[in-house]
Amino acid sequence: MADRQMRPLGAQISHMLKDRGVDVIFGIPGVHNQEMYRGIEEAGITHVLARHEQGAGFMADGYARASGKVGVAYVITGPGLCNIMTPMGQAYSDSVPMLVISSCLDETAATRGQLHQMKDQQAAAETVCDWSEEARTPEAAYTLINRAFMEFHTLRARPKHIQVPIAQLQAPAAPQNRSDMGLSDGVEQIDAMLAPVISHMIRRAKRPLFVFGGGARDAAPDIRAFLEICPVPVFTTYAGRGVVPPGYPWLFGSYLARPDSATIFAQADLVIAVGTELAEVDLWRDQLGQAAKLVRIDIDPEALSGSAGNTHRFKAAAHTVFRVLKEERDMPGAFAWTVDQITTTRARWRTETDAERPGIVPLCDALRAAVPSDTMIYSDMTQFAYVAKEVWDMDHPGHWHHPYGFGTLGYATPAAIGGAVARPGQPTMAIIGDYGFHYTMAELGVAVELGLPIPIILWDNGKLKEIEDSMTRAQIAPNAVIARNPDFVKLAEAFGARATAPGTIAQMQEDVKTAFKADRPTLIYITPNLTA
C-alpha cells in the first residue's frame, strides 16, 4: 500500500504527524533538516516559513493556544534550536502544547568544527522544556512522538523536544504501524466523593471565594452553570479571564496583584483555587492573604505541593469537578458578601491602575468597544497590556494570550500570526510595545505573505517606560531605557502591510474595525498623545 512505502525517516515523521491531526508546521529549513521537509507537502501539511526560529516558536505557541491542538515547529541543528529556546521557555511557563523537532549532528564527541555544532544540544533544550530526547532509530522517533502526544492529552501541557541525527533523517524507514499509534483523548475520571466534599465546604461557608486560573478555562460552561445556582464571588488570574462572564455581579476581576486584594482574602472563610499555581506572576506577593482553609484543585502535583498549612489538595481537572458540582442541589443562594462591596472595590482598583500608568485605561476601554467579542488577542510585555490585563474583562475564556511567566519581549506579533492561521476568518489582534516590536518585526512579512487581517496595535511611548519607572522607584538614575525608533508606519508599509497613525481615539477605533476587514495586516501606531 502507498501509505506503507519506505521513505526517509524525515518524511515519515511528517506523515506520522499528519496522522496525529497536525495540519500546520512552522519553521525554517536548512541543509541539516531538509529531509524533514521532503514529506510535508506529500503528507498534506501546510508549512509556514518564519523569518527567524524565535518567530516560528511563537507562531507554534499562538497556534496551539488558539486551536487547542499541538503547535509543531521544525528547526535545524545548533543555532536553529538555540533560537527557538526562548519560545520553548515561554510555552513551558504558560502550559502550551508545543512539539519542537530538530536535526542534530551524528556525533560530537570525536569531531570538532562541524557546521552548527554544539557541545550538548539535547541538554540545552531540556532547560526550557518538559523533556528533550534524541531518537537514534525510526522506532525511537515514533515512540517519542507517541509519548509526546499521549502526555499532551493526559498531563499538564508543556513543550517537548525531539532531535534526530542527520543520517537517520536521510535513511529509509518504514512508517509506524497505525495500530501502534497509541491515541488517547485523556483520562477524565474523578473521585465520586470529591464534588460532595467541596459542596459541603461551600454550604458551611459564609464568605467563600473562588480563584480561577488558566487551567479552569475548559470548565467555563460548567463553572458558569454552577455560579448561576450558587453565586460565590470570584477572582481570576490574568490567564483565567473569561471563565466567568463580565456581567457576573460577584466578579472581583483579575485584580489579584492589587496589594490590598489580600485584605479581601483575609475576610474569606473558604478559598477555592482552581487551575492556578498562585505564582509570583499571579499575585506579585508571597501569600494570597487568607487565614481560612484553602482548597487547591489542579492536574499538576507540583502546583498542588506548593501550598503550606490548612490546605486541601485535590488532583483533578476543573471540568471533571464542575461537571458534577453544577448538579449539586440545595446550594446557598447568597453569602455575606455584597455586590456593593465588590463594585466599590473594583472601582477603587481601576482608579489605582489608571493612576499608576496614566492615560491607558481610556484607550483600553475604547479598543475593547471596537473589537468583536470573539477576538483572539495576543499581547506583549508593554504597559498597555499590563493595564489591559486588569481592566479588560473577557467575554470568552482563552481569548487573551500573554507571555505571563517567562515574560519575553517580541511575543505578540508572531503569536498572533499563529493564532490567525489556526482560526481563519475569525478576528485576531496583537498588542505590542515599540521596543518589543523590534524583537520580531521581521515576522510582519509572514503576515503579509499569508494575507492575514491582523490589527497590530503598536504602543509607542518612546522608551522602556516600565523599566524607567522601576529604576526611579529604586532611586537609580534611569539609564539605557531609550532607543532610537524607526518610522514604524513606513517600516510596515515597506513590508507590504497597511499602516495608520490615528490622531484621535475615535479614529483608532475606526482603523481597528477597518483592519479586521483588510486583505493583510495593519499596523496601527498610537502614542500617549492620542486625543479624545
Side-chain angles (χ1 to χ4, degrees):
M1 293 176 61
D3 64 350
R4 296 295 301 167
Q5 66 183 338
M6 297 288 288
R7 300 182 179 93
L9 176 59
Q12 297 289 24
I13 287 172
S14 293
H15 281 269
M16 181 179 181
L17 292 174
K18 180 63 176 180
D19 287 339
R20 285 292 196 176
V22 174
D23 295 317
V24 181
I25 292 173
F26 304 88
I28 300 176
V31 293
H32 279 188
N33 71 343
Q34 64 187 17
E35 285 296 341
M36 292 157 61
Y37 282 74
R38 185 187 297 274
I40 289 179
E41 289 189 9
E42 184 185 57
I45 295 175
T46 298
H47 182 270
V48 175
L49 176 63
R51 301 303 187 257
H52 188 284
E53 286 91 356
Q54 187 177 72
F58 288 143
M59 289 177 200
D61 174 299
Y63 175 90
R65 297 195 200 207
S67 66
K69 301 171 69 174
V70 178
V72 179
Y74 280 177
V75 297
I76 61 162
T77 319
L81 189 279
C82 286
N83 286 339
I84 204 171
M85 283 174 62
T86 296
M88 290 167 70
Q90 190 62 65
Y92 184 88
S93 292
D94 292 348
S95 303
V96 178
M98 180 195 298
L99 178 60
V100 176
I101 302 180
S102 75
S103 54
C104 67
L105 295 173
D106 299 313
E107 65 83 24
T108 58
T111 307
R112 292 289 182 264
Q114 300 178 82
L115 178 66
H116 302 329
Q117 186 166 16
M118 291 178 66
K119 291 176 67 176
D120 195 335
Q121 175 177 294
Q122 178 184 339
E126 192 164 26
T127 63
V128 289
C129 65
D130 191 21
W131 49 258
S132 172
E133 300 289 354
E134 181 172 332
R136 299 175 185 173
T137 65
E139 292 73 20
Y142 303 149
T143 297
L144 288 170
I145 292 171
N146 265 346
R147 174 186 168 190
F149 276 81
M150 179 68 75
E151 292 179 5
F152 288 139
H153 278 86
T154 59
L155 303 176
R156 181 175 182 177
R158 276 181 157 156
K160 331 282 186 183
H161 167 243
I162 300 171
Q163 63 181 33
V164 187
I166 298 166
Q168 282 294 328
L169 289 172
Q170 297 169 343
Q176 187 194 27
N177 190 319
R178 281 178 171 269
S179 64
D180 296 331
M181 289 293 281
L183 291 170
S184 170
D185 292 326
V187 180
E188 298 186 0
Q189 297 179 349
I190 180 173
D191 186 330
M193 293 302 296
L194 177 53
V197 167
I198 294 173
S199 63
H200 178 69
M201 292 180 184
I202 295 173
R203 287 189 185 96
R204 295 182 59 187
K206 297 184 182 302
R207 288 180 173 269
L209 283 175
F210 275 124
V211 181
F212 293 120
R217 289 180 301 211
D218 290 346
D222 292 326
I223 288 171
R224 293 182 178 200
F226 174 76
L227 294 176
E228 287 181 3
I229 62 172
C230 185
V232 177
V234 170
F235 279 87
T236 70
T237 67
Y238 300 134
R241 285 179 298 157
V243 170
V244 176
Y248 182 60
W250 307 96
L251 178 61
F252 276 107
S254 54
Y255 287 103
L256 278 175
R258 291 286 112 195
D260 69 336
S261 72
T263 65
I264 301 297
F265 284 97
Q267 299 172 41
D269 56 2
L270 173 67
V271 177
I272 302 175
V274 185
T276 171
E277 292 178 305
L278 298 178
E280 178 187 61
V281 293
D282 296 319
L283 305 178
W284 294 109
R285 60 179 182 271
D286 293 334
Q287 300 294 330
L288 189 58
Q290 94 294 342
K293 183 182 301 178
L294 174 63
V295 175
R296 303 282 307 262
I297 300 172
D298 207 288
I299 64 171
D300 186 359
E302 182 179 351
L304 292 173
S305 67
S307 302
N310 201 20
T311 301
H312 291 243
R313 302 172 179 87
F314 298 104
K315 185 179 182 298
H319 64 273
T320 66
V321 175
F322 282 88
R323 183 183 303 157
V324 180
L325 267 182
K326 72 177 183 181
E327 302 299 331
E328 290 287 306
R329 295 293 176 257
D330 302 321
M331 296 300 294
F335 297 97
W337 305 101
T338 68
V339 171
D340 285 346
Q341 178 185 7
I342 294 170
T343 303
T344 301
T345 303
R346 285 200 59 163
R348 183 178 75 254
W349 287 337
R350 176 183 166 93
T351 300
E352 290 175 2
T353 302
D354 192 30
E356 290 168 358
R357 300 180 179 99
I360 299 178
V361 168
L363 297 181
C364 291
D365 292 341
L367 188 57
R368 184 183 181 205
V371 304
S373 65
D374 61 339
T375 301
M376 190 74 74
I377 300 172
Y378 294 84
S379 61
D380 216 270
M381 300 298 285
T382 172
Q383 286 192 326
F384 197 107
Y386 304 155
V387 171
K389 287 189 301 177
E390 290 195 297
V391 304
W392 189 321
D393 292 331
M394 298 299 293
D395 294 288
H396 307 285
H399 275 58
W400 189 300
H401 306 291
H402 184 81
Y404 298 105
F406 212 41
T408 178
L409 285 160
Y411 170 80
T413 303
I417 292 170
V421 169
R423 303 169 73 239
Q426 297 176 279
T428 303
M429 182 171 71
I431 298 173
I432 194 164
D434 57 307
Y435 201 80
F437 188 71
H438 281 268
Y439 275 55
T440 52
M441 66 171 71
E443 306 305 340
L444 188 59
V446 180
V448 172
E449 211 165 68
L450 298 178
L452 301 175
I454 304 171
I456 301 173
I457 311 301
L458 196 156
W459 169 249
D460 184 3
N461 55 17
K463 59 181 68 177
L464 290 164
K465 186 67 168 63
E466 191 73 6
I467 308 307
E468 181 183 69
D469 291 348
S470 179
M471 286 180 164
T472 300
R473 288 192 298 269
Q475 298 184 343
I476 300 170
N479 186 22
V481 295
I482 298 177
R484 180 182 176 87
N485 281 332
D487 183 324
F488 287 113
V489 171
K490 290 181 179 178
L491 179 70
E493 291 174 342
F495 274 105
R498 298 176 68 254
T500 68
T504 66
I505 292 177
Q507 186 58 56
M508 176 194 73
Q509 291 177 306
E510 289 305 310
D511 288 348
V512 169
K513 293 175 183 177
T514 300
F516 282 121
K517 303 173 184 176
D519 61 353
R520 55 194 137 148
T522 303
L523 186 138
I524 301 173
Y525 176 79
I526 61 175
T527 74
N529 297 323
L530 205 64
T531 60

